[in-house]
Amino acid sequence: MKTKRVLLIYTGGTIGMGRNPETSALEPLDMKYLVGNVPELKLLNTDVDTYQFEAPIDSSDMSPTNWAKIVRIIIEKYDNYDGFVVLHGTDTMAYTASALSFMLENLTKPVILTGSQLPIGQLRTDGKENLVTSIELASTYNENGQAVVPEVCIYFSGKLLRGNRSTKTNADGFNAFDSFNYPHLCDAGVNFNFHYHHILQPDFASPVIPHFDLDPNVIVFSLFPGVQENIVRHVLDAPELRGIVMRTFGSGNAPTKPWLMRLLKDASLKGVIVVNISQCVSGNVEMSRYDTGYHLQDAGVITGYDSTVEAAVTKLMHLQALHKDQETIRYYMNHSIAGEITV
């Protein structure tokens, strides 16, 4: 049932920072300060409770342990709130959003990540609009009593994006995020313009299934002209390695050098999952389009379709924690489990 309550989870990030008068450096402030700078919260048609990490963290220090902590907070409070807003630093927000989308299976309530490029106490801050709109979106339900956006999202600068389709694209501008391979879920202007046919629909009659474990023995490997055999060999020889997200050229192409194909094939035979995604921000991997792609298929590389780096990495971590069998992981990497790829 609708509770008219939203839980605000503050993990850290620019939105809750203030300037140290002695050093002029930005540092985390208490949640009470953050909420006190947004009197507009009292005008919302929903109550807002807060939960603050004991030690707010810079998003550059975000880790799988922190992701599991966020999931535990959400699950423990799940029945008491209409939705959840996670305040987070922008640098790794897309990684966290992607991870949470896999860790919260059959999510039936909004989990919206947001933050800001300027601290909320500064005159030109973008934090107030991002925060207030995220809370409104997290508390929006339809006439059937169901959440309008029951998935993990990022809200920034007027755009509600699927979390595992999002990427940070701008280090300085207020329009910091976008989802190039998937439409916006909602555009927030004077009114909310929901794109309902793009929003995930869970089984509202079934419970959410939390997952807390992740296997981070993954690496992101970008190809470039002049890549050296010895360096690649040392990386692939790591005994703990279970998954590789390989960023290739264009629609999934790689140099046809025999040594590269041999190393990739050896890695696949050892049980390492090699996922091919494009270095382009938009588009799809099609390994059957060019001869170079066929060589990768022969080496045991699987397509990542139109996945972002963030989604591919966290999906591998999630599946590797769930499954020991290589073929099972390969199967699910080629299927959408949280709307992260278009197959």
Side-chain angles (χ1 to χ4, degrees):
M1 294 180 60
K2 189 168 170 57
T3 64
K4 289 197 172 183
R5 298 171 70 197
V6 168
L7 182 63
L8 188 63
I9 303 170
Y10 177 55
T11 68
T14 299
I15 193 169
M17 288 188 171
R19 198 169 295 279
N20 186 308
E22 296 181 2
T23 65
S24 294
L26 291 175
E27 57 186 28
L29 298 172
D30 189 88
M31 174 66 82
K32 294 177 183 177
Y33 170 87
L34 188 149
V35 173
N37 271 268
V38 192
E40 294 87 346
L41 294 180
K42 297 178 182 178
L43 303 177
L44 291 171
N45 192 30
T46 187
D47 292 331
V48 180
D49 295 335
T50 60
Y51 183 102
Q52 180 172 348
F53 273 29
E54 291 180 8
I57 56 176
D58 187 288
S59 72
S60 298
D61 291 322
M62 189 58 64
S63 70
T65 301
N66 299 131
W67 296 336
K69 180 177 179 179
I70 296 171
V71 170
R72 285 192 173 90
I73 294 167
I74 291 171
I75 293 302
E76 287 172 4
K77 311 285 187 180
Y78 197 75
D79 293 334
N80 300 326
Y81 295 95
D82 293 329
F84 303 85
V85 174
V86 180
L87 299 182
H88 194 291
T90 58
D91 287 347
T92 59
M93 187 184 292
Y95 285 96
T96 298
S98 296
L100 296 183
S101 75
F102 303 123
M103 299 170 77
L104 292 164
E105 183 181 346
N106 196 51
L107 181 67
T108 57
K109 297 184 178 185
V111 174
I112 300 176
L113 283 78
T114 194
S116 66
Q117 297 286 59
L118 287 175
I120 205 160
Q122 291 193 10
L123 184 62
R124 293 184 53 250
T125 184
D126 55 325
K128 285 189 178 182
E129 193 277 322
N130 287 345
L131 174 58
V132 170
T133 303
S134 293
I135 292 171
E136 282 199 281
L137 288 166
S139 61
T140 300
Y141 275 53
N142 62 26
E143 62 277 5
N144 297 321
Q146 297 171 339
V148 172
V149 191
E151 55 175 288
V152 179
C153 307
I154 287 177
Y155 177 79
F156 233 87
S157 189
K159 297 179 290 191
L160 184 68
L161 312 173
R162 176 165 296 163
N164 57 35
R165 294 287 193 144
S166 305
T167 297
K168 185 176 181 182
T169 60
N170 196 321
D172 302 316
F174 289 157
N175 57 334
F177 290 87
D178 212 335
S179 55
F180 294 98
N181 286 324
Y182 200 77
H184 302 166
L185 303 183
C186 177
D187 292 302
V190 174
N191 298 303
F192 289 156
N193 181 21
F194 290 102
H195 307 297
Y196 295 100
H197 53 294
H198 296 309
I199 298 172
L200 286 177
Q201 292 301 308
D203 181 358
F204 285 100
S206 298
V208 60
I209 302 171
H211 301 279
F212 303 106
D213 296 328
L214 295 163
D215 181 348
N217 290 303
V218 178
I219 192 167
V220 178
F221 165 41
S222 290
L223 294 175
F224 58 92
V227 62
Q228 293 297 297
E229 177 181 358
N230 289 340
I231 295 174
V232 175
R233 181 187 296 111
H234 286 306
V235 171
L236 300 189
D237 278 345
E240 303 86 0
L241 185 64
R242 290 192 66 197
I244 300 170
V245 176
M246 185 171 67
R247 300 179 68 241
T248 56
F249 308 128
S251 58
N253 304 309
T256 55
K257 297 184 181 299
W259 65 262
L260 178 59
M261 299 303 154
R262 185 178 66 252
L263 290 177
L264 292 173
K265 189 166 188 176
D266 289 345
S268 294
L269 291 173
K270 288 190 298 184
V272 177
I273 310 296
V274 185
V275 183
N276 182 0
I277 67 170
S278 176
Q279 294 179 21
C280 302
V281 294
S282 178
N284 191 38
V285 165
E286 297 181 50
M287 290 194 289
S288 59
R289 181 181 293 184
Y290 298 103
D291 187 54
T292 53
Y294 276 113
H295 286 290
L296 291 174
Q297 285 180 310
D298 290 341
V301 177
I302 62 173
T303 177
Y305 295 97
D306 56 353
S307 177
T308 63
V309 174
E310 297 90 340
V313 168
T314 54
K315 185 177 180 180
L316 269 176
M317 290 183 182
H318 167 67
L319 292 174
Q320 288 173 180
L322 277 181
H323 308 286
K324 299 304 178 187
D325 176 58
Q326 178 190 17
E327 291 307 314
T328 302
I329 298 173
R330 290 169 66 92
Y331 173 83
Y332 284 113
M333 285 302 299
N334 278 168
H335 290 76
S336 176
I337 60 177
E340 72 282 359
I341 55 176
T342 304
V343 179

